[in-house]
Amino acid sequence: MTKQEMADTFKKEHEDALFLDSDESSLREKSMEEILTMRSQYPVKSKEWERLNKIKSDVLQKNKPSTKEKIVYFKETDLERIPLGFSKAKQLPSMDYRIAERSLLEYHPSQRHPIPYVIVRYNEEYFFILRGANVGESRLAGRKGLLGGHVGETDAVSGNIQLSIENGLWRELEEEAGIKAEMVKKLEMKGIIKSNDGVDSDHLGIVYEIVLNHKDIQSEEEELTGVWMEKDELKQHFDTLESWSKIVVSHLILSS
């Protein structure tokens, strides 16, 4: 090792030591963007990266208490068989899952959370929701989307990822729109969405379609507004849809 290399190594070790000794309270006063930028300077899973990820988690929980919940997630390496984009599928491949606090998993480059994402249909009408400014996933605020959400620890069934996701699906349907199993004539998995664009990179979309026996439903949550739309209306509102909804509408609704 040359003198310059030794000097560079000493400088980095000194800087890392200063970082580890720095005042955590001051780090928690930084914006989410600043924390993520600092974290990106270190190798994933390194001591420094993990420390900043924990600070990010604490800041998220403070600003968005719902991220304290424990949810199901996959390691990115376990999803290599699933291609990017939309894939038609009737069921998930067998894979392991894990559970951790959502705040630790948000903005995490090597993990994804499965999201049951549900086409709600009655005859030829489709139910969408408009997400308000204070919706749980702030990165989707102001967009129209389908019903769905995270799969929680209480939904999980050991050794059965498909049933775990469907448990989360039924819970989210009831919480978001008051939909219960007796109101549903048909439930069918349609495909998988895997994307690395923005908020999508945190999630794996598991797309289902349910057919209702009546359309007397509405949004059950304060920050969600429900609306029924026919195919022609979906074409008119396409640009206002969130990214996954655009994928689903293009591949499964407008193409049929």
Side-chain angles (χ1 to χ4, degrees):
M1 182 180 290
T2 66
K3 289 184 177 180
Q4 184 60 51
E5 288 173 335
M6 292 176 65
D8 291 343
T9 299
F10 176 80
K11 180 181 178 182
K12 183 180 185 308
E13 290 175 350
H14 180 65
E15 289 174 346
D16 290 347
L18 288 175
F19 168 76
L20 290 172
D21 290 338
S22 62
D23 183 4
E24 288 203 6
S25 63
S26 66
L27 290 172
R28 287 187 171 84
E29 294 302 317
K30 294 183 179 295
S31 68
M32 182 61 61
E33 290 75 15
E34 289 175 313
I35 295 171
L36 292 175
T37 298
M38 292 178 66
R39 192 189 65 173
S40 69
Q41 298 173 18
Y42 299 93
V44 176
K45 295 294 186 179
S46 66
K47 185 187 299 183
E48 299 88 351
W49 193 97
E50 290 288 4
R51 181 179 184 229
L52 281 164
N53 196 54
K54 179 61 171 65
I55 290 171
K56 173 219 69 180
S57 171
D58 294 343
V59 171
L60 266 178
Q61 287 192 17
K62 178 182 178 181
N63 296 333
K64 192 164 63 173
S66 62
T67 59
K68 293 179 181 180
E69 67 176 332
K70 291 188 176 181
I71 61 172
V72 168
Y73 75 93
F74 302 120
K75 286 188 174 181
E76 190 73 29
T77 52
D78 292 336
L79 303 176
E80 292 176 348
R81 291 174 293 170
I82 299 174
L84 288 173
F86 176 78
S87 308
K88 288 189 175 181
K90 296 294 184 182
Q91 63 181 21
L92 280 168
S94 178
M95 66 179 84
D96 293 331
Y97 68 81
R98 295 162 177 80
I99 295 172
E101 287 184 350
R102 179 179 164 187
S103 59
L104 287 170
L105 304 174
E106 296 269 353
Y107 306 96
H108 200 300
S110 60
Q111 297 164 1
R112 286 184 195 253
H113 340 144
I115 303 289
Y117 199 63
V118 190
I119 303 167
V120 178
R121 179 168 67 86
Y122 175 73
N123 293 334
E124 296 304 314
E125 293 184 83
Y126 300 87
F127 187 76
F128 282 76
I129 52 174
L130 173 64
R131 304 183 190 277
N134 295 319
V135 72
E137 179 47 83
S138 59
R139 290 173 284 179
L140 299 178
R143 293 285 176 175
K144 296 185 183 72
L146 299 174
L147 298 178
H150 293 87
V151 180
E153 183 177 30
T154 57
D155 303 317
V157 177
S158 179
N160 194 329
I161 185 57
Q162 193 83 36
L163 182 56
S164 300
I165 288 173
E166 290 181 9
N167 285 343
L169 177 154
W170 288 114
R171 177 181 50 75
E172 289 288 346
L173 287 177
E174 184 164 3
E175 289 177 359
E176 292 189 346
I179 298 173
K180 299 182 179 181
E182 58 266 25
M183 299 163 59
V184 176
K185 292 196 294 186
K186 182 181 179 182
L187 167 70
E188 183 180 6
M189 182 175 161
K190 292 289 189 176
I192 302 172
I193 300 172
K194 182 181 177 185
S195 169
N196 289 332
D197 296 333
V199 62
D200 298 345
S201 63
D202 277 350
H203 306 118
L204 186 74
I206 316 300
V207 182
Y208 287 83
E209 181 182 62
I210 64 169
V211 180
L212 297 180
N213 52 34
H214 66 78
K215 60 178 290 187
D216 185 21
I217 64 170
Q218 61 183 4
S219 171
E220 296 289 324
E221 297 188 10
E222 184 177 344
E223 290 298 327
L224 304 177
T225 302
V227 58
W228 286 96
M229 290 190 285
E230 297 181 349
K231 284 187 180 181
D232 287 344
E233 292 177 285
L234 286 174
K235 294 177 184 178
Q236 297 169 19
H237 291 267
F238 190 82
D239 289 341
T240 69
L241 301 178
E242 61 195 33
S243 60
W244 278 7
S245 289
K246 289 180 178 178
I247 292 171
V248 170
V249 167
S250 297
H251 286 270
L252 296 174
I253 298 179
L254 296 182
S255 62
S256 61

